[in-house]
Amino acid sequence: MTAITQNLPRFISDLGISIIGEKCYSSLVENLNVGDVDCLKYSLSKGLGIGIVVGGSIMKVPQLLLILSGRSARGLSLPAYVLETLAYAITTAYSYRNEFPFSTYGENLFLTIQNTIITLLIIYFPTPSLRNVQAIGPQLAIASAASVSSAVALYMFPKDILSLLQMATLPLSLFSKLPQITQNARAESTGQLSAFAVISQIVGCLARLFTTATEVGDLIVTAGFALALVLNLVLGVQMWMYWGSDQREDSGKTQIGSLSEKEKVEWASERQGRVDVVVTPKSPVPRHTASPSGRKWARKVD
């Protein structure tokens, strides 16, 4: 068997070496040494990392489609998405400047882009209480300018400041989820919140804890993923608790002038054995009739 694995096509071996390194590729693929625990953990971490990056590139697409199809961002908290986007952007800049493997943070780049689009859509499709058509254009322009300025600033900051900002992502993650959690609890509904996005974030945080501990070993990044996992679990519990609440609310509403099936059956049963008497209304009788000429006549008394 090793005669085959040691003579694989060049493009396959080059791809394998670029992912798990020459040492682990030689041990696991060429020599089939499945007892190499360190290389097995490293290869598993790489595989999970690549899977998370690919999944992160489409994680918020269902959420985008929900907003666009319903032309509504009901149930989505604007402050929550602003803070979450900022936390993703800081983690991306911090990891890039510290030259971490792209497989350990790549999804944060894609989530930053997707979250920025969702944030702009929340502004474009505001709730009725916050709707102001004339202010939508300036708000979108300000939000777009702030996004570009933040990206440039994070790219230019020195590593020391980025380290401090990375520590700040811990409270950012906390405060980015609290508005959404509070809004869900108050409304007893998750609105347009995507279940796919929440579940994907839970699975991604679990996998990221393993990949960060295996490849990076950065305690700040690890603590951030641990806190994000707890908060996403809370959102997942809310999704389970309030699942179908919108449908139940809509089904309980009856349109004016229409009857439900139950009401139709009860109404029909009440009418059985009952005779309705219809009396035709008569026109009122005039008190006096005027003469055709309209002239009044009186008898002369002698």
Side-chain angles (χ1 to χ4, degrees):
M1 191 68 179
T2 55
I4 299 176
T5 57
Q6 291 176 0
N7 293 282
L8 292 174
R10 184 65 179 271
F11 72 93
I12 295 179
S13 61
D14 290 344
L15 179 62
I17 292 172
S18 64
I19 295 175
I20 62 176
E22 187 174 357
K23 178 184 176 182
C24 288
Y25 179 83
S26 176
S27 176
L28 296 178
V29 180
E30 293 182 349
N31 298 324
L32 299 178
N33 183 14
V34 294
D36 193 340
V37 179
D38 292 337
C39 281
L40 283 175
K41 289 175 61 177
Y42 183 76
S43 300
L44 178 60
S45 176
K46 280 294 185 182
L48 287 173
I50 294 173
I52 295 171
V53 172
V54 174
S57 64
I58 60 172
M59 183 182 297
K60 296 299 183 78
V61 171
Q63 183 68 78
L64 287 167
L65 295 178
L66 277 175
I67 297 174
L68 292 174
S69 62
R71 298 188 63 81
S72 169
R74 183 178 63 86
L76 301 182
S77 172
L78 179 60
Y81 267 90
V82 170
L83 295 176
E84 185 182 59
T85 305
L86 185 59
Y88 285 144
I90 292 173
T91 301
T92 302
Y94 176 80
S95 302
Y96 174 77
R97 296 291 296 276
N98 284 276
E99 299 181 352
F100 293 158
F102 185 74
S103 61
T104 62
Y105 71 90
E107 79 280 0
N108 287 283
L109 173 62
F110 297 115
L111 289 174
T112 300
I113 298 172
Q114 294 172 77
N115 265 22
T116 302
I117 299 174
I118 292 175
T119 302
L120 296 177
L121 288 177
I122 293 176
I123 297 174
Y124 188 72
F125 297 118
T127 57
S129 60
L130 300 177
R131 189 177 298 278
N132 187 349
V133 178
Q134 295 180 351
I136 290 179
Q139 288 176 354
L140 285 175
I142 293 172
S144 301
S147 301
V148 176
S149 301
S150 300
V152 174
L154 289 174
Y155 181 78
M156 297 179 64
F157 280 155
K159 288 185 178 181
D160 295 338
I161 296 181
L162 283 177
S163 298
L164 295 176
L165 291 176
Q166 183 61 36
M167 294 179 64
T169 58
L170 296 178
L172 276 178
S173 298
L174 177 63
F175 291 118
S176 69
K177 297 296 184 183
L178 283 181
Q180 186 68 66
I181 293 172
T182 304
Q183 183 168 317
N184 294 343
R186 187 186 301 115
E188 295 186 356
S189 170
T190 54
Q192 296 290 77
L193 189 63
S194 171
F196 175 81
V198 174
I199 295 173
S200 299
Q201 286 179 314
I202 293 174
V203 175
C205 287
L206 283 170
R208 268 291 168 243
L209 287 174
F210 175 76
T211 60
T212 303
T214 302
E215 298 184 54
V216 178
D218 192 302
L219 293 179
I220 300 177
V221 178
T222 303
F225 284 123
L227 179 60
L229 173 62
V230 174
L231 296 174
N232 283 315
L233 283 173
V234 175
L235 286 176
V237 172
Q238 287 185 325
M239 292 287 297
W240 174 74
M241 290 175 57
Y242 304 138
W243 187 263
S245 61
D246 293 337
Q247 288 81 355
R248 290 194 297 269
E249 182 181 351
D250 293 338
S251 63
K253 297 178 181 178
T254 303
Q255 294 181 356
I256 298 176
S258 64
L259 298 176
S260 63
E261 294 297 328
K262 182 179 179 180
E263 291 173 334
K264 290 179 180 179
V265 173
E266 292 177 354
W267 183 74
S269 62
E270 290 177 359
R271 287 186 57 84
Q272 290 181 355
R274 187 176 69 182
V275 178
D276 294 334
V277 178
V278 179
V279 180
T280 305
K282 296 181 179 180
S283 59
V285 179
R287 294 182 180 181
H288 61 272
T289 305
S291 62
S293 61
R295 183 181 300 176
K296 295 183 181 180
W297 295 87
R299 175 182 294 181
K300 183 177 179 181
V301 179
D302 295 332

